[in-house]
């Protein structure tokens, strides 16, 4: 049974940092491309970052240099380290396994100015 559970969201001031976690069960994250998406109210869901099974990473231009996607294979968990947060980063953040399009429930990130 594939499950993805995000955690780590919350309220943070602009310029602050937050680390999101995506705990996976039912499969091994190192065998799959994993990604973080976000969606703000009234806006399209957008791809933020992705990591391939081989460890290659991708970042949206809007977060490049500020966010880092990683995984801990021993914990079977994918992370999104978010630094230098901006109010425009405010959104619900979702973890996704690309194969099969499995989504987590999302975790809310709010960045205050």
């Amino acid at each position: 049974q594939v499950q993805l559970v995000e955690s780590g969201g919350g309220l943070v001031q602009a310029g602050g940092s937050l680390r999101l976690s995506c705990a996976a069960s039912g499969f091994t994250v190192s065998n799959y491309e994993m990604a973080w998406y976000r969606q703000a109210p009234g806006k399209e869901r957008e791809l933020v970052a992705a990591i391939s099974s081989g460890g290659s990473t991708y970042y949206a231009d809007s977060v490049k240099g500020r966010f880092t996607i990683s995984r801990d294979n021993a914990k079977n968990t994918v992370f999104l380290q978010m630094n230098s947060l901006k109010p425009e980063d405010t959104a619900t953040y979702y973890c996704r396994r690309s194969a099969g399009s499995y989504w987590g429930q999302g975790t809310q990130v709010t960045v205050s100015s």
Side-chain angles (χ1 to χ4, degrees):
Q1 184 72 31
V2 171
Q3 281 195 103
L4 300 170
V5 180
E6 301 98 330
S7 62
L11 175 64
V12 64
Q13 291 188 336
S17 297
L18 215 53
R19 188 178 77 160
L20 306 184
S21 298
C22 173
S25 59
F27 72 100
T28 300
V29 298
S30 62
N31 292 336
Y32 294 88
E33 180 181 89
M34 302 293 296
W36 286 97
Y37 288 73
R38 67 186 182 188
Q39 188 166 27
K43 299 187 69 176
E44 294 182 355
R45 189 170 297 187
E46 64 174 339
L47 176 63
V48 175
I51 184 167
S52 73
S53 60
S56 299
T57 57
Y58 163 86
Y59 300 95
D61 287 343
S62 59
V63 308
K64 198 169 297 179
R66 300 188 297 122
F67 290 11
T68 304
I69 188 170
S70 64
R71 65 183 181 226
D72 185 331
N73 295 337
K75 292 178 165 42
N76 206 37
T77 299
V78 179
F79 301 97
L80 185 68
Q81 178 66 46
M82 305 185 294
N83 298 325
S84 302
L85 283 162
K86 305 174 180 180
E88 51 262 46
D89 296 318
T90 295
T92 302
Y93 284 71
Y94 298 90
C95 180
R96 185 196 187 211
R97 192 184 91 175
S98 296
S101 190
Y102 290 96
W103 295 88
Q105 84 290 344
T107 186
Q108 178 66 38
V109 172
T110 302
V111 184
S112 63
S113 59

